[in-house]
Amino acid sequence: MNPSHTPSPRERLTATTGAIIALAAGTYIACGDGFTWDPTAYTIAWLLLICALAATIPQADTLIDTTTRMIRSMVRILRRARHAHRALAGHRHTTGRMTRGVATTTVRTK
């Protein structure tokens, strides 16, 4: 892929869908005795795996870029939520501290 080329949403969807299908078909093939129970489904799983890998491998850079963007987005969302939670917690609550003798509450200062 050209470094200046930005993958379109269609390219991203194709790469992601192909990877998910390849993982599902590979898991079905790897997890048991599928050919004994249903040879047709086992054969279809192999065909799906081959086709999905044929569509996904040439777009590996797009898949990696899409995965990286999704992870960064999730980290950003979690970071914002954590900051919002801390801000709300800091404004709503004061910490109470016990001392020897009479119990007093102290307000935390920044």
Side-chain angles (χ1 to χ4, degrees):
M1 184 169 81
N2 187 354
S4 63
H5 172 70
T6 302
S8 69
R10 183 178 180 186
E11 292 172 334
R12 291 183 188 279
L13 181 65
T14 303
T16 305
T17 304
I20 292 169
I21 291 171
L23 285 171
T27 302
Y28 177 78
I29 292 167
C31 283
D33 200 9
F35 186 77
T36 303
W37 297 105
D38 191 2
T40 306
Y42 192 73
T43 303
I44 291 171
W46 269 106
L47 292 173
L48 276 173
L49 177 65
I50 293 167
C51 292
L53 288 176
T56 304
I57 290 173
Q59 296 182 350
D61 52 350
T62 302
L63 183 64
I64 291 168
D65 181 60
T66 302
T67 305
T68 304
R69 282 181 175 221
M70 289 178 5
I71 290 170
R72 286 180 183 164
S73 176
M74 293 303 296
V75 167
R76 190 179 316 117
I77 289 169
L78 292 174
R79 187 178 301 128
R80 287 180 182 173
R82 185 182 69 211
H83 288 200
H85 181 264
R86 285 184 178 174
L88 289 173
H91 289 295
R92 289 188 180 175
H93 303 289
T94 58
T95 58
R97 296 184 184 175
M98 296 292 291
T99 59
R100 290 185 186 185
V102 180
T104 61
T105 57
T106 58
V107 178
R108 184 173 38 165
T109 59
K110 292 183 179 182

